[in-house]
Amino acid sequence: MNANVFYNIALDCIDKNAESLLNKHKTALIFTEGSKGKTLKLTFSNLQGLTNRIANGLQSLKIPAGDRLILRLPNCPEFPITFLGAIKTEIIPIPTSPLLTWDELKFILEDSEATTLVTTKELFPPEIFNYAPATLKHVFLVSPQSPTLHSSPFTLHLFKDLLKSSSSEFATKPT
């Protein structure tokens, strides 16, 4: 295989469409929130900007290519945004069910040697304070505010702060 040829699904699914005059304003993602019926529509251009912000944020934390990122999220827009943003940086996203027990999640954290966990305040496992794998360095909460932490072996970040502080420009990595 030619060393100059690469494939990144985020490039094909988002970036190519966002950079096309014909597609950049077309809807790429529709999310409808359950009983409230609120609908969020993101264009390819919007989605590219958000995934680029996540990619830049992850890189700013010096999370290396090949590291694992556990996604423990409900059905929400942050799931595909984080999944694709991680792929842009060569970080490996691992989707998990929000229904996992602590023992099941702990096994996945240990087995994958994940350095990052993305979850919500509601799905945040309090047991993680008593037993966090040594590899876990970052936890991102998709919540308006962070819970009070006394001391933890990992750094807690708010997802919204990552989006706010990061650039929407990013060169997708060759994978």
Side-chain angles (χ1 to χ4, degrees):
M1 184 169 144
N2 183 341
N4 295 327
V5 176
F6 72 93
Y7 179 79
N8 188 307
I9 195 166
L11 178 69
D12 270 359
C13 289
I14 301 168
D15 296 351
K16 285 182 180 178
N17 287 300
E19 292 163 10
S20 160
L21 290 176
L22 294 174
N23 294 334
K24 69 189 297 177
H25 299 296
K26 288 185 178 178
T27 302
L29 177 74
I30 299 173
F31 177 76
T32 302
E33 192 175 337
S35 61
K36 296 178 185 175
K38 288 183 181 177
T39 299
L40 171 69
K41 291 184 179 184
L42 295 175
T43 64
F44 283 104
S45 183
N46 297 142
L47 190 56
Q48 181 185 42
L50 290 168
T51 56
N52 285 350
R53 286 179 186 278
I54 293 299
N56 279 313
L58 294 172
Q59 276 202 326
S60 74
L61 295 170
K62 310 257 187 275
I63 300 172
D67 274 18
R68 274 73 169 179
L69 177 147
I70 302 289
L71 288 159
R72 183 181 186 168
L73 293 171
N75 185 21
C76 62
E78 291 84 1
F79 191 102
I81 291 167
T82 304
F83 186 91
L84 292 165
I87 288 174
K88 285 184 171 196
T89 65
E90 298 181 289
I91 293 171
I92 302 165
I94 301 173
T96 65
S97 170
L99 300 177
L100 292 176
T101 66
W102 165 243
D103 287 335
E104 292 165 331
L105 179 61
K106 183 172 107 174
F107 173 80
I108 293 170
L109 285 164
E110 289 173 341
D111 188 58
S112 67
E113 299 179 346
T115 59
T116 308
L117 170 66
V118 180
T119 190
T120 63
K121 187 175 179 181
E122 296 76 25
L123 295 173
F124 183 84
E127 299 90 345
I128 205 163
F129 291 117
N130 297 325
Y131 181 80
T135 57
L136 187 64
K137 304 295 182 212
H138 303 280
V139 174
F140 289 91
L141 283 182
V142 177
S143 303
Q145 59 188 22
S146 63
T148 304
L149 298 180
H150 304 319
S151 93
S152 72
F154 49 81
T155 305
L156 186 65
H157 310 272
L158 288 179
F159 188 85
K160 67 178 183 169
D161 293 343
L162 184 71
L163 286 176
K164 283 183 196 174
S165 65
S166 301
S167 169
S168 63
E169 299 294 323
F170 185 80
T172 299
K173 301 292 181 186
T175 57

